[in-house]
Amino acid sequence: MSAEQKRVRGDASPVVRLTNVSKRYGGSTAVALDQVSLSVSPGEIFGIIGQSGAGKSTLIRLLNALERPSEGQVEVDGVDLAGLSPAELRTLRRRIGMIFQNFGLLSSRTVAGNVAFPLELTDATRTDRNAKVAALLSRVGLAEYADRYPAQLSGGQKQRVGIARALATDPDVLLCDEATSALDPETTRSVLGLLRDLNRELGLTIVLITHEMDVVRTVCDRVAVLDHGRLVETGAVADIFESGAHPATRRMLAALSL
């Protein structure tokens, strides 16, 4: 799919769709997610925000099929994740990139080795892998760091390596799980700028999980607000910031203005 095709919005089929999704753990009556329905359009940067315990971590584990819903349907690229075999799930996950709050890098591998890791699980030749890794490191501004190890990098550099690794399999969707919460404000702005550039240049659909309203304001097109497992508000970022009505939204907006 071309970058232009990925950026088609409006009447295009959603890349991500949750329909009446609930999640309970074990025999507990506590509900981590309660009847959540939302959709993410191709080429969109979609924010999912909520405080601790809102259900964000559960939602992202459903999106990459590490968990299955207790009720409802989770679809990526029109495919119901619950109906896939283990082999089909492995194939689908190549189309879903993931970056993490704690970077998730392998300390024993160089920067290039970390980025190459997903490619080693494909049938790409060593020559093709090396070329792809070099191109990705150049794209994220780390070409000269290929032979360094994670311990030799700053937090922002580690996250850029994580982004390059997530892009290695040319995903349709990039999931960002609190990807900037461990970074200082200046580095956060730099990483968010990189994500915005990748969205525009590649037509990459990004789902960004965060508890920071400033992150949403900086980079997202639309946002959904979670509160105690329920989707309480969703809309264009400008509309939510101007007239967000739910108490959970107002609390986060008030904290932003402090």
Side-chain angles (χ1 to χ4, degrees):
M1 185 181 295
S2 70
E4 184 61 30
Q5 287 172 318
K6 287 182 181 181
R7 288 196 61 85
V8 173
R9 302 189 184 186
D11 61 354
S13 297
V15 176
V16 172
R17 191 201 308 265
L18 276 67
T19 306
N20 298 325
V21 168
S22 296
K23 179 64 180 180
R24 300 176 183 82
Y25 288 99
S28 173
T29 58
V31 181
L33 289 175
D34 187 7
Q35 294 292 299
V36 171
S37 295
L38 60 84
S39 62
V40 181
S41 299
E44 184 172 36
I45 304 181
F46 190 92
I48 298 173
I49 192 166
Q51 296 300 325
S52 179
K56 304 186 304 297
S57 295
T58 298
L59 191 151
I60 205 164
R61 289 177 66 84
L62 292 174
L63 290 180
N64 60 20
L66 293 175
E67 304 272 3
R68 297 201 176 195
S70 304
E71 301 170 11
Q73 193 172 51
V74 179
E75 298 171 272
V76 176
D77 280 342
V79 177
D80 181 358
L81 302 189
L84 298 181
S85 68
E88 290 169 331
L89 272 176
R90 286 192 295 271
T91 298
L92 181 74
R93 285 194 181 114
R94 294 175 187 171
R95 291 151 54 191
I96 304 173
M98 183 88 188
I99 60 175
F100 304 90
Q101 176 181 3
N102 63 356
F103 318 124
L105 302 181
L106 299 171
S107 61
S108 62
R109 282 182 169 239
T110 64
V111 164
N114 270 278
V115 177
F117 184 69
L119 296 171
E120 293 170 7
L121 306 178
T122 71
D123 57 2
T125 66
R126 180 183 293 273
T127 299
D128 288 343
R129 291 200 305 265
N130 290 343
K132 186 67 172 288
V133 169
L136 287 168
L137 289 178
S138 178
R139 181 178 283 277
V140 301
L142 293 178
E144 67 272 31
Y145 292 83
D147 295 327
R148 297 194 187 183
Y149 286 85
Q152 299 172 295
L153 304 179
S154 68
Q157 289 166 342
K158 290 177 184 177
Q159 196 56 284
R160 285 173 177 266
V161 176
I163 292 170
R165 181 184 57 189
L167 297 176
T169 57
D170 298 315
D172 295 324
V173 183
L174 181 63
L175 305 179
C176 304
D177 187 9
E178 298 280 8
T180 61
S181 62
L183 306 177
D184 63 72
E186 182 177 353
T187 306
T188 291
R189 287 191 292 273
S190 175
V191 169
L192 292 178
L194 173 60
L195 291 175
R196 185 169 52 241
D197 290 344
L198 291 170
N199 165 258
R200 291 171 177 169
E201 294 167 12
L202 303 178
L204 186 65
T205 303
I206 299 176
V207 179
L208 195 151
I209 305 289
T210 184
H211 65 275
E212 300 173 280
M213 271 294 197
D214 196 43
V215 169
V216 168
R217 177 173 61 183
T218 299
V219 75
C220 293
D221 299 308
R222 289 194 302 136
V223 61
V225 182
L226 287 179
D227 185 49
H228 295 95
R230 295 188 66 87
L231 178 61
V232 297
E233 201 154 17
T234 186
V237 167
D239 294 339
I240 294 296
F241 270 76
E242 181 178 345
S243 55
H246 193 273
T249 308
R250 293 202 300 269
R251 285 194 299 271
M252 286 185 285
L253 288 171
L256 179 64
S257 63
L258 293 178

